């Protein structure tokens, strides 16, 4: 992550990744927690605009160590996301 606006090697790597997001065709799942520590609403909207096949699952409360805050919600969200769609 850029620190003090330095555009170092890490900053350049993140920039390259962000430039390639629109070309990512595989389905992706973003687990959202509230209040969250890293991804706020504006960044989530930006990711939705950038990644064509992005699904978001709201996993409830969590801050920084979300796997400790809400492990059951994480397991349920991933399990539901991996389920094949129902066909009648």
């Amino acid at each position: 992550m850029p620190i003090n606006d330095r555009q170092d090697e890490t900053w350049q790597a993140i920039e390259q990744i962000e430039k390639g997001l629109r070309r990512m065709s595989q389905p992706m799942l973003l687990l959202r927690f509230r209040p969250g520590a890293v991804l706020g609403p504006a960044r989530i909207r930006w990711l939705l605009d950038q990644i064509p096949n992005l699904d978001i699952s709201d996993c409830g409360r969590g801050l920084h160590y979300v796997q400790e805050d809400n492990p059951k919600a994480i397991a349920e969200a991933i399990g539901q996301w991996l389920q094949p769609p129902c066909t009648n």
Side-chain angles (χ1 to χ4, degrees):
M1 303 191 102
I3 299 172
N4 297 329
D5 295 326
R6 291 186 320 207
Q7 294 185 3
D8 61 6
E9 187 177 306
T10 304
W11 184 90
Q12 291 171 14
I14 292 170
E15 183 179 54
Q16 287 302 111
I17 291 168
E18 288 180 347
K19 285 180 180 178
L21 290 176
R22 286 197 170 130
R23 295 188 307 270
M24 299 186 87
S25 60
Q26 68 272 23
M28 292 185 212
L29 175 64
L30 174 67
L31 303 177
R32 175 177 48 202
F33 296 86
R34 299 180 193 276
V38 177
L39 297 175
R43 186 65 170 172
I44 291 172
R45 281 191 301 277
W46 184 86
L47 288 167
L48 279 169
D49 289 342
Q50 301 301 311
I51 302 173
N53 295 309
L54 180 64
D55 292 320
I56 296 180
S57 181
D58 192 336
C59 291
R61 292 200 47 79
L63 190 58
H64 187 75
Y65 296 105
V66 296
Q67 69 278 11
E68 295 174 7
D69 295 336
N70 213 336
K72 185 176 179 182
I74 293 171
E76 289 174 1
I78 293 171
Q80 288 176 359
W81 187 71
L82 290 172
Q83 289 296 315
C86 293
T87 57
N88 293 327

